[in-house]
Structure formats: C-alpha cells, structure tokens
Amino acid sequence: DPKIIQKPKYLVAVTGSEKILICEQYLGHNAMYWYRQSAKKPLEFMFSYSYQKLMDNQTASSRFQPQSSKKNHLDLQITALKPDDSATYFCASSQGWGANSDYTFGSGTRLLVI
Amino acid sequence: GDSVTQKQGQVTLSEDDFLFINCTYSTTTYPTLLWYVQYLGQGPQLLLKVTTANNKGISRGFEATYDKGTTSFHLQKASVQESDSAVYFCALPGTGGYKVVFGSGTRLLVSP
C-alpha cells in the first residue's frame, strides 16, 4: 500500500483555471513538503510544513497556496494556472528535519496546463 | 546559499560497467550528504546518506565518499545492471534545515 497518496495522478487544466493537488501521508511523519519537477528545474523545493505550520517557502508566486486541514494532509492549491506551471508535483514527508530526515516521496501529480 | 552541482546530464553504460557520477557541493557547514534515485514514473527515494562522522555510505552496491577537501560526493558502483537505469540526484539539507536541496540529476541508461 502506498504510504503517501497523491491525487490525481494526471491532471489537465485550462489556462486561468484553479486546481487543488491532494496529498496524504500515513507514515506518522511530522513534516511534509511540496516539490516541483520539470525539464527546466528538476526537483525544485516549494514548501515545507510541520504540524500544519509553514516552515519554509521558496515559491515566489502567491498563486501557489498550501493547505493543511490535518497534520498528515498537505494539499496544494494553484490559481490562475499558466502553461509554465506544467510539471510533476511531488509531495514528500519526513520524521524530523535536516540531516536526519529521510524523505519519502509520493508518486507525483503530473499537471498539464493548456 | 547551499547548493549541489551535477555536471553529467546523462551517463550511458553497458551491464557490468563501472559507474561514476560526479557531484560537488557548496555550503558553509559540513552537512549530511545524500543520494536519491528516481525510477521511471516514481518519486525519488533515498539511496544513501553520508555524515562527516562516517565519511562513506554504502547501499545496494552503490557507494559514496564525503571529500571535504574537494567538496565532492561522487557516487560509484563497481558493476551496473540494467535495473539501475534511473535518474540519480545528489542532495544536501538546505539552510535552516527545513528543506533538502537537490542537484539537477544524472540520468543513467544501462543497456544489457
């Protein structure tokens, strides 16, 4: 059984629309993350959360908003979608931070904006 | 800021060849260094990590050695198999500790 569930697996969206990417982890981890992977910038860090609190944010655009309703749940809302947002978005989690935190990644949501 | 550099975009080998993937890092501290592997259609997964205490990490036949002198953390394997075909990322904890910074990745293609 997958320990990190990301939904949907594939997503096609129209330019200007809004989408929510879902992520739930069942590892009992206390930290969750979003990363983006595209041909231009492989594995780019976006956000980190711990117990529903934002810890770090490297995303310049406010169009990307993480949402955490429970500590094992971290969704990513993207508004006013652009073709440049096309990428695979990975959710990850870890127990602890920094050097001793081994990340577990989900299988990703592949987003295509047309 | 903290960064890792992988200059090889792709490495193509035959089975049983020796693998060497280059990685250099830039940081003001001596962090734990990491290698992740990403198989087609999957998310990255941790392959191995090395701290300054042990200097070398070994996992599944892969090994990496921490070299502070040359600020390098190269990945090696004596004999690759077709199943090793994947993208390999070196990484380190970013400033503040609330993220991991990844290199650009090296795609390994192994032909039978």
Side-chain angles (χ1 to χ4, degrees):
Chain A
D1 288 336
K3 300 294 195 288
I4 297 185
I5 296 174
Q6 287 192 246
K7 292 185 285 189
K9 195 170 178 65
Y10 301 99
L11 186 56
V12 179
V14 175
T15 297
S17 66
E18 171 184 315
K19 293 293 180 187
I20 296 180
L21 280 53
I22 305 293
C23 177
E24 297 174 276
Q25 58 95 358
Y26 295 96
L27 294 159
H29 288 169
N30 60 3
M32 296 185 72
Y33 313 83
W34 278 102
Y35 279 78
R36 176 169 51 194
Q37 186 174 47
S38 66
K40 295 178 185 177
K41 292 185 179 181
L43 280 175
E44 178 187 17
F45 169 78
M46 300 180 74
F47 301 98
S48 58
Y49 262 70
S50 179
Y51 294 117
Q52 301 175 265
K53 179 184 172 186
L54 179 67
M55 304 305 291
D56 198 349
N57 175 0
Q58 292 288 143
T59 303
S61 173
S62 60
R63 296 186 300 106
F64 295 84
Q65 289 294 327
Q67 299 174 340
S68 182
S69 58
K70 292 183 275 190
K71 71 173 186 179
N72 70 324
H73 205 115
L74 186 65
D75 298 338
L76 181 64
Q77 179 186 42
I78 314 174
T79 58
L81 278 160
K82 303 177 180 181
D84 263 0
D85 297 331
S86 298
T88 300
Y89 291 81
F90 287 103
C91 177
S93 69
S94 68
Q95 184 60 30
W97 297 101
N100 295 317
S101 59
D102 296 346
Y103 282 24
T104 300
F105 282 83
S107 56
T109 292
R110 185 169 292 181
L111 172 65
L112 175 64
V113 183
I114 56 175
Chain B
D2 301 321
S3 65
V4 285
T5 300
Q6 294 178 251
K7 292 188 176 178
Q8 300 158 289
Q10 181 165 304
V11 172
T12 303
L13 298 171
S14 299
E15 278 195 325
D16 299 323
D17 280 351
F18 172 74
L19 170 68
F20 181 91
I21 297 179
N22 186 293
C23 173
T24 56
Y25 64 90
S26 173
T27 178
T28 56
T29 62
Y30 295 113
T32 296
L33 297 173
L34 312 156
W35 278 99
Y36 278 79
V37 57
Q38 184 178 23
Y39 299 101
L40 191 63
Q42 299 180 22
Q45 54 184 268
L46 182 67
L47 177 60
L48 57 82
K49 63 180 177 181
V50 181
T51 66
T52 53
N54 56 22
N55 268 6
K56 178 179 278 191
I58 299 175
S59 174
R60 304 186 232 168
F62 291 88
E63 68 174 66
T65 302
Y66 201 142
D67 187 332
K68 291 182 208 172
T70 58
T71 61
S72 66
F73 185 55
H74 309 313
L75 183 70
Q76 303 179 70
K77 187 176 186 184
S79 175
V80 293
Q81 302 303 305
E82 189 178 3
S83 57
D84 293 326
S85 297
V87 181
Y88 293 82
F89 295 92
C90 63
L92 53 69
T95 303
Y98 298 118
K99 61 179 177 280
V100 166
V101 176
F102 289 84
S104 55
T106 298
R107 182 177 300 276
L108 171 64
L109 295 174
V110 181
S111 55

